[in-house]
Each structure stands twice: as C-alpha cells, then as structure tokens.
Amino acid sequence: MIITKSVTDIQKKLETYATKEKKEILPRFFKTGKGEYGEGDKFLGVVVPNIRQVAKRNVDVNDITLNGLLTSCWHEMRMCGLLILCTRFEKADEKTRSYIYHYYLSHTAAINNWDLVDLSAPCIMGRYLLDKKEERKELYNLATSNILWEQRIAVVSTLTFIRKDDFNDIL
C-alpha cells in the first residue's frame, strides 16, 4: 500500500531530530562555502541514524513525494529519499529494480555530496549492474562526466563488483 505522506510531513519529522549544534557543524564538515565542493548545500541539522529512522518509516511514499525529497534543497531530505530508494531496490523484483536504476540515473544532480553517493551508488547502481556487464557502459559515461559527483558515482558503484572479485571496470 502506498502511503500519501507529503514532503512537508517528512521534513517536519526530520526537523524534530535537528539540533542547532549539527546545523552549524554539518555545513563546515561538508564544505558548503564559496568555492568548496559542497558549495550552497543546506542542512537541517539531522544526523544519519535519525534520517535512516525516518526513511525506514516512509519507504512506501508515492513517487511524487519521493521526487520532492530528491529535489529538496535540504541535504537530509535528499538523503532520506536515497535511503528509501535503496530499501525499495533491495526488496524489488527485476522490473522494479530496472525502474529504480533508471530513476536514480535521472536524479544524479541531487546526489551531490560524497555521503549521498557513498550510501546509494553501490546499493543501486552497483547491484543493478553486477550481473549486467553489457550495460556497464553507463559507468564509463559517468566516469567521463565533467561533474565530480557523477564521476564518484561511477567509481563507488564498482565497490559492489569488487566485493565479488570483479576488478575489471575499476581497473
């Protein structure tokens, strides 16, 4: 059953976990200043374990809400959306996995910091391509992108292959 929970509802839930201290620390930690790699990213001040709790309770949100999470200006909202996608992918049949994989690729602009890449790329892109060597050309497209985070998605996705003793693509 798909739950109709809005982006605002999820944001309010995340905000209940926010602290002033983390709201001040996280932008510095993720280098969001002018000219830094995370320039302009915004934080509510929520730590990952709390984001995981919210994501776990909202796995069945509809695609409109999921899209709203992934396009949010708030880092924690995008992370919540990616965690939901990872959970869905894990439990999905092959057709749904294909849909999630392509959906993920269409939202790489939202996957714009190392933590977002590292938590999502292996479990979605890596897992999807694990037994689809003929489709791995997408890794090479991302690896040659001018966008740092797309390059990182390509490299970090190969962790899934490496864990299965497949080193061809990373080398």
Side-chain angles (χ1 to χ4, degrees):
M1 178 175 149
I2 301 296
I3 298 168
T4 308
K5 191 170 262 192
S6 73
V7 174
T8 304
D9 292 337
I10 294 172
Q11 182 173 333
K12 285 179 184 176
K13 186 60 180 175
L14 285 169
E15 287 172 346
T16 66
Y17 294 109
T19 67
K20 183 180 178 189
E21 177 188 31
K22 289 298 180 186
K23 189 169 183 151
E24 292 172 6
I25 291 171
L26 290 172
R28 289 194 310 268
F29 181 77
F30 286 102
K31 309 289 186 202
T32 63
K34 182 120 175 97
E36 295 179 314
Y37 66 76
E39 182 176 349
D41 208 354
K42 294 169 47 175
F43 290 83
L44 296 168
V46 184
V47 295
V48 174
N50 297 130
I51 300 168
R52 286 186 184 281
Q53 286 178 353
V54 173
K56 187 177 181 180
R57 283 184 252 144
N58 291 284
V59 168
D60 294 327
V61 295
N62 62 34
D63 285 351
I64 294 168
T65 300
L66 184 59
N67 194 59
L69 291 171
L70 291 175
T71 58
S72 173
C73 66
W74 298 107
H75 187 94
E76 295 94 336
M77 298 279 283
R78 294 191 309 279
M79 179 179 279
C80 188
L82 290 168
L83 288 166
I84 289 169
L85 274 180
C86 287
T87 301
R88 286 183 180 181
F89 187 91
E90 190 177 302
K91 298 175 180 180
D93 60 26
E94 192 57 34
K95 182 179 177 186
T96 305
R97 283 183 173 195
S98 177
Y99 173 79
I100 292 170
Y101 167 77
H102 289 94
Y103 184 84
Y104 181 82
L105 284 175
S106 72
H107 285 81
T108 58
I111 310 165
N112 62 352
N113 214 313
W114 61 266
D115 63 326
L116 301 177
V117 172
D118 292 5
L119 77 84
S120 64
C123 77
I124 296 175
M125 197 155 176
R127 288 276 310 275
Y128 182 75
L129 294 174
L130 185 61
D131 59 353
K132 295 174 181 63
K133 292 185 181 195
E134 70 284 350
E135 292 184 43
R136 291 186 185 176
K137 67 183 180 292
E138 192 59 50
L139 290 174
Y140 296 87
N141 293 337
L142 292 174
T144 59
S145 168
N146 292 327
I147 300 168
L148 167 69
W149 305 117
E150 289 186 349
Q151 294 170 4
R152 187 175 180 102
I153 289 168
V155 171
V156 174
S157 293
T158 66
L159 283 173
T160 307
F161 312 156
I162 292 166
R163 289 181 183 129
K164 299 289 186 179
D165 294 325
D166 179 350
F167 302 95
N168 293 331
D169 293 292
I170 193 59
L171 295 175

